[in-house]
Amino acid sequence: MKSHTLFVAIMVLSVTDCFSEERPQPASERPLIQRDIVGLWLMGQSLCEGAESLPLVTHSDGDWGNYMFQRGVRTWSYGKYGDKPHERPAEQFSFVPLTATVNGGLGETIANGLADHLKSSFTASQRDLNQKQKKSPHFLVTYAGQGGRMIDELSSVDQSTDPRTPESRQHGGGYYQTSLDDARRAKAQAAARGETFGLAALIWMQGEANAGPTEGINPSRWGKEIPRPAGLHWYRDRLIEYRKQWSHDLQNITGQANEILLFTYQTLSTAGEAQLLAADKDPHITMVGPHYMVASALNSRYAGRYGDPIHMSADGERWFGEQVAKVVHRVLKLGEAWQPLRPLKAWSAPDHASVLVEFHVPRPPLVLDETFLPREQLVRGEGYHSLYGFQVRNSARAVSAIKAIEIASPSRLRIQLVSPLKSGTHFTLSYGLPYAGQVGKIAQIRTGPVIEGQPTTELILNQQFDPQLKPLLSEGAFFVANMLAGDDYAQAPIRHVTESEGKTILRFENRERRKNKDFETGQTLTAYRGFPFGNLRDSDPEQAIYQFADPGYGTRAGEPYPLWNWCVLFKQFPISDQSEEKRNP
């Protein structure tokens, strides 16, 4: 297993290149992090560009002294210069204070959380904020991608220009070349100011667009889906090749000698597992971790509408930027061999009545958190179909019901089963589902008030809101569904919850019903989050520099972002049968 892993792809120079201080060096050969302007280059799709991450929560540069280009963090744009980045006007590349900007439905990105937290970490010895602002390094953040793009549309292959690409996706192109041209512009601008420039890290936030409908990988918009595990291996190898070329081409521009490390997030799709495989295989790729703990864009508001739950809220973007910065600092400055919270081994107990799982834990001990996130659970019969995000299946995909899960040691879980696992049968463990449990049965349905011109409906339950579900209210909007099959399935996001005289009232806007399907009295509702998730985290004490800032949803405004490390999502992790191993050594 490699020495460091991450789920937002950021490339970074090696520790020795960044921090060697053996002898005085000319400005052009200074250790990277000691240069005046230090680049953080982002590439990816919608989560990287801040899709629907509105309203903004970063309204100024925050006094950290970091930069973006005059044209903004998002340096690629559709139109005249999309595939001709070298023709972009020079005046658009002056350095200006880094802050969040709005461009249609694009808002907050990870940029301020990333750069400002890094600046805080690298200048920790400076107590005065004004001194921190003046002190180098000054981080410059750029992003040259576009939402919805596949890996080879963002690479030098420039797949979106291929005539086989559907017409609706042919309007792009030039992303990779834009990223390279950004480096040329940064180097020239720094030189014109009498300053030095180098690239510290490349950040990768892509993968959703390559996910296939049957949990494989789509290599293009016209090719066949590659099934598991070959599809995972294809994406793994393609990401590694991308990193190598990106690093090489940027090194040729900046003159840096060592390869640049890539830090990647874990996407929620199939590609997320492949990203972890890439991090294990390539020592220059680090996985930070998943992003499912942040609030989704279901809570975003712009242009008279709400965001899609596949995107992140503005606070979610900035928060995850700090999470990435924490890992980048530990790898670059502290030389830590970073690994995300991940399973190492799973095996059945001698009586087969439970499964033990050993984890790599960045900052022990393990925690099954039911306070910050609701407990993930889906009740079936005598036990749980899934619990805390975990699910056990056999080779025929049948689920083994879970009775309970407990912390067995600072790095180990015990999953207790309703029935013992059958000897001689192959079982696997998965982690990451969206369910938060049953809310109750609909006793009455009534018309709600008109909210900002939108008619609403209220579902009345003859019971109090389960305290176990309170974290849903703290986070913001959440979904409820009747869990019926086919055309009977009804779902809507709940944006307002009240309790009165022992009853719970759930309100949703009529326009947000799935396929305009109504609920009916007598139906039992199940709550779930916009992201698949689990409750397993570590006890990382790192402090954020930013706080939740959007008071328009939830109850967390004013609280600091928690920087715990949450377990990566995974599927089909093998559960070994040690009794079988003993009989067949």
Side-chain angles (χ1 to χ4, degrees), residues 113-375:
L114 169 65
D116 297 347
H117 190 98
L118 271 177
K119 184 66 173 286
S120 175
S121 298
F122 279 111
T123 59
S125 61
Q126 300 290 329
R127 295 184 177 276
D128 182 75
L129 185 59
N130 290 329
Q131 291 301 314
K132 288 190 176 188
Q133 180 181 12
K134 294 176 183 178
K135 187 175 177 61
S136 295
H138 301 283
F139 291 103
L140 170 68
V141 187
T142 74
Y143 163 73
Q146 186 188 30
R149 289 298 176 182
M150 291 183 158
I151 186 171
D152 273 333
E153 293 175 333
L154 298 175
S155 74
S156 61
V157 175
D158 216 3
Q159 207 173 67
S160 60
T161 63
D162 190 297
R164 291 173 293 179
T165 294
E167 185 177 354
S168 62
R169 303 303 298 178
Q170 286 185 7
H171 60 278
Y175 311 107
Y176 185 80
Q177 292 303 321
T178 297
S179 178
L180 301 186
D181 191 64
D182 287 345
R184 296 186 189 98
R185 305 296 188 119
K187 182 178 179 181
Q189 180 68 18
R193 292 160 53 109
E195 296 174 323
T196 55
F197 170 76
L199 275 167
L202 303 171
I203 294 93
W204 185 253
M205 297 179 69
Q206 189 279 337
E208 299 89 342
N210 285 96
T214 61
E215 298 188 351
I217 292 290
N218 284 325
S220 67
R221 298 189 186 276
W222 58 83
K224 292 183 179 180
E225 178 181 0
I226 306 173
R228 303 170 65 101
L232 300 183
H233 296 161
W234 180 91
Y235 188 95
R236 173 201 65 191
D237 295 343
R238 192 66 198 92
L239 180 56
I240 291 172
E241 287 303 313
Y242 194 120
R243 184 210 64 77
K244 289 179 179 178
Q245 183 178 9
W246 201 11
S247 175
H248 178 267
D249 291 345
L250 288 167
Q251 287 172 257
N252 284 341
I253 293 170
T254 65
Q256 297 170 207
N258 292 352
E259 289 197 60
I260 304 174
L261 299 182
L262 181 83
F263 293 81
T264 180
Y265 76 160
Q266 186 191 33
T267 178
L268 301 177
S269 74
T270 304
E273 295 174 83
Q275 290 162 340
L276 186 56
L277 293 175
D280 287 340
K281 187 174 182 179
D282 186 342
H284 299 98
I285 296 179
T286 294
M287 173 166 279
V288 174
H291 68 271
Y292 60 71
M293 65 286 188
V294 311
S296 80
L298 187 64
N299 299 287
S300 296
R301 292 95 58 209
Y302 70 102
R305 55 165 292 180
Y306 301 104
D308 192 293
I310 65 172
H311 298 140
M312 292 192 283
S313 66
D315 267 313
E317 289 275 351
R318 189 170 68 175
W319 171 11
F320 194 69
E322 290 209 54
Q323 191 80 354
V324 175
K326 175 189 74 177
V327 175
V328 172
H329 178 253
R330 288 176 180 177
V331 172
L332 282 182
K333 178 66 174 177
L334 305 180
E336 181 172 339
W338 176 264
Q339 287 278 340
L341 176 52
R342 60 185 298 183
L344 299 176
K345 182 181 180 182
W347 66 98
S348 59
D351 61 1
H352 293 176
S354 63
V355 174
L356 295 165
V357 191
E358 186 71 19
F359 292 85
H360 169 78
V361 187
R363 298 294 186 271
L366 287 172
V367 176
L368 285 170
D369 191 311
E370 300 181 59
T371 302
F372 189 79
L373 294 179
R375 183 169 71 183

